[in-house]
Amino acid sequence: KQEVTQIPAALSVPEGENLVLNCSFTDSAIYNLQWFRQDPGKGLTSLLLIQSSQREQTSGRLNASLDKSSGRSTLYIAASQPGDSATYLCAVMGGGADGLTFGKGTHLIIQP
Amino acid sequence: DGGITQSPKYLFRKEGQNVTLSCEQNLNHDAMYWYRQDPGQGLRLIYYSQIVNDFQKGDIAEGYSVSREKKESFPLTVTSAQKNPTAFYLCASSIGAGGADTQYFGPGTRLTVL
């Protein structure tokens, strides 16, 4: 059964810093890996999707990488801002395309 | 505006009652999903549907039921058989179930059992 782990569980950094969030998964037979953002009490906002054949995706200040063979992904946030404060969730879709398996998230606080 | 709507935003249920959570999308997506979120846990898949009139159980389907009679609608019923239904419920949809298909989420319904 696929398991997804996110490290760290929580992170607090001053505004302007570059930071890295980590995600690992146990079964490398995946269709894709997705990163989401969740604000308190809200639904999820899709940030980036990396297909299994891809190595990375970029959107603005965000860059996500995927190393499928080692079961790892990182989300890099450049020049962090207070508005980036949220919970970031990593999720993988297995080879059966039967829905996403989520990690528990990284709760990020950017201090002004 | 295109998107996914869920209603109600908050729902209170007495023990022994069945309740139905609504999920509607106007994105013309084929695939729809229901997830449950509990504090300190990741989202867990309840049911999913890749096409109208077809749906499959996810990891935690016991005590839940769904229907997919229309492409745009995927309601979830929480039955009295669900022992611990208090949670945040999220509906999602995607164009299909392929590797390039991003899942888009609704705003969620928070269910509380009194």
Side-chain angles (χ1 to χ4, degrees), chain B residues 36-110:
Chain B
R36 168 181 171 142
Q37 186 175 35
D38 295 279
Q41 295 199 39
L43 278 73
R44 292 179 290 168
L45 181 67
I46 305 172
Y47 268 98
Y48 65 100
S49 169
Q50 295 188 1
I51 198 166
V52 174
N53 292 322
D54 184 57
F55 50 83
Q56 304 295 330
K57 293 182 178 180
D59 298 322
I60 56 165
E62 185 176 352
Y64 300 97
S65 65
V66 294
S67 63
R68 186 85 188 276
E69 297 175 359
K70 297 186 296 183
K71 187 174 185 177
E72 59 270 24
S73 178
F74 191 39
L76 174 73
T77 297
V78 184
T79 75
S80 57
Q82 171 49 234
K83 298 304 179 188
N84 185 21
T86 295
F88 189 47
Y89 290 86
L90 289 157
C91 178
S93 72
S94 59
I95 292 175
D101 298 334
T102 298
Q103 286 192 21
Y104 296 92
F105 281 76
T109 292
R110 189 166 299 279

Side-chain angles (χ1 to χ4, degrees), chain A residues 32 34 38 46 97-98 100 104, chain B residues 35 37 45 48 50 97 99 102:
Chain A
N32 63 49
Q34 298 179 44
Q38 186 176 30
S46 176
D98 53 358
L100 293 167
K104 294 183 180 181
Chain B
Y35 295 91
Q37 186 175 35
L45 181 67
Y48 65 100
Q50 295 188 1
T102 298

